[in-house]
Amino acid sequence: MRKKLLLGNWKMNKTPSEAKAFALAASEMVDYAVAHNIEVGVAPTFVSLAAVKENINPKCIVAAQNVNEHDHGAFTGEVSIAMLKEVGIDWVILGHSERREYNGETSPVCNLKIKALLAADMTPVYCCGESLDTFEKGQTKEWVSKQIREGFAGLSAEDAKKVVIAYEPIWAIGTGKSASKETAEDTISFIRGVLRELYGETAEEIRILYGGSVKPANVAEYMSEPDIDGALVGGASLEPDSFKGLIEGMLK
Ligand code: PGA
């Protein structure tokens, strides 16, 4: 049985004190989620990670939004795995479409990051998803298949099952135009098919989230689909009330 997962991607929002305020307000809802068998987490910016980690319910996952694949060295502006580990972080989002677009993060680079994270016993959340143009041309499956194959290149089944995938159609991110549950399930079950081809039965153990304008009001629809294991949520994860609404929605 794949455990349900709700992950809030805060993007470039919240100062450390604002992030701390959320962390303090979230204690009960984290307990509530965990008691109902839902794993929950938030991904603040690098400068807020320590403040959140120190103040949030320890059952809550705290994830970074990126990491560098190298150990250390002349990489100005970058953050290493060891740096994250020292502040208690063991989850990292990789390959978000915004980082692919604005920071040149490619699937082969994500593959290096995934391998480095797994070697450090950390959990990568690998994002994939197509543009509106690709969607309208009917090339979504070809596109995400390439992203998955490149991101997972060289991973054993044992490693692959430690990776969480987030399928986020770019046209649905921050636009209020979420993909229908049928569209999301169609692509996510296709992704599971690609994983089955690569890893056989192990594909059934790999969690795949949907992301893109998920809200308290629509999260239940996605959760009703057999291959969707949770959600990666941006805008609706920023306020404690809305985050709580997402947890409640996942239980409907
Ligand atoms: P959104 O963002 O929920 O604001 O659409 C999702 C994401 O980018 O992870």
Side-chain angles (χ1 to χ4, degrees):
M1 226 339 225
R2 300 184 299 267
K3 197 164 195 176
K4 291 179 186 173
L5 172 62
L6 170 66
L7 198 56
N9 172 15
W10 288 352
K11 311 190 178 186
M12 198 173 73
N13 292 295
K14 293 190 189 294
T15 64
S17 61
E18 289 164 350
K20 178 180 171 182
F22 181 108
L24 293 172
S27 184
E28 264 176 51
M29 67 178 100
V30 172
D31 279 334
Y32 177 76
V34 171
H36 289 85
N37 232 2
I38 300 177
E39 257 192 298
V40 288
V42 290
T45 61
F46 284 133
V47 289
S48 295
L49 286 172
V52 172
K53 190 69 194 174
E54 280 160 21
N55 290 285
I56 207 157
N57 184 326
K59 292 177 201 149
C60 188
I61 294 162
V62 183
Q65 299 173 15
N66 180 35
V67 74
N68 191 275
E69 65 275 25
H70 298 97
D71 286 348
H72 63 271
F75 301 101
T76 302
E78 293 293 294
V79 168
S80 73
I81 286 177
M83 293 169 193
L84 293 181
K85 280 209 132 175
E86 198 165 312
V87 286
I89 305 305
D90 48 15
W91 282 58
V92 181
I93 297 174
L94 296 174
H96 189 280
S97 59
E98 288 148 19
R99 292 206 54 84
R100 289 179 187 265
E101 184 177 353
Y102 307 128
N103 303 88
E105 191 156 306
T106 62
S107 300
V109 168
C110 289
N111 176 251
L112 297 176
K113 295 183 180 191
I114 289 173
K115 287 175 176 160
L117 287 168
L118 292 172
D121 273 329
M122 291 168 71
T123 304
V125 179
Y126 178 55
C127 304
C128 62
E130 80 289 359
S131 66
L132 184 59
D133 187 48
T134 301
F135 177 71
E136 284 175 345
K137 285 186 183 141
Q139 293 167 351
T140 297
K141 289 179 178 166
E142 220 177 302
W143 182 267
V144 296
S145 166
K146 186 165 187 280
Q147 289 181 321
I148 295 295
R149 288 172 199 277
E150 289 181 347
F152 278 70
L155 294 195
S156 65
E158 209 40 49
D159 277 343
K161 70 181 178 197
K162 297 175 191 152
V163 181
V164 173
I165 295 171
Y167 166 61
E168 301 198 301
I170 299 169
W171 46 271
I173 295 177
T175 57
K177 286 186 213 138
S178 50
S180 71
K181 62 177 181 148
E182 291 81 9
T183 300
E185 170 63 19
D186 185 44
T187 307
I188 289 177
S189 65
F190 169 79
I191 292 171
R192 201 174 299 289
V194 173
L195 296 170
R196 211 172 283 128
E197 213 183 283
L198 296 172
Y199 302 112
E201 288 292 286
T202 301
E204 310 308 321
E205 294 178 52
I206 301 176
R207 288 189 288 182
I208 311 178
L209 315 179
Y210 167 73
S213 297
V214 175
K215 301 179 263 297
N218 65 12
V219 68
E221 290 175 31
Y222 298 110
M223 296 314 296
S224 69
E225 295 293 336
D227 285 288
I228 304 181
D229 303 313
L232 180 58
V233 185
S237 74
L238 288 170
E239 296 309 322
D241 280 355
S242 177
F243 199 88
K244 187 162 178 242
L246 290 164
I247 295 170
E248 284 163 349
M250 283 179 79
L251 289 166
K252 276 189 189 147

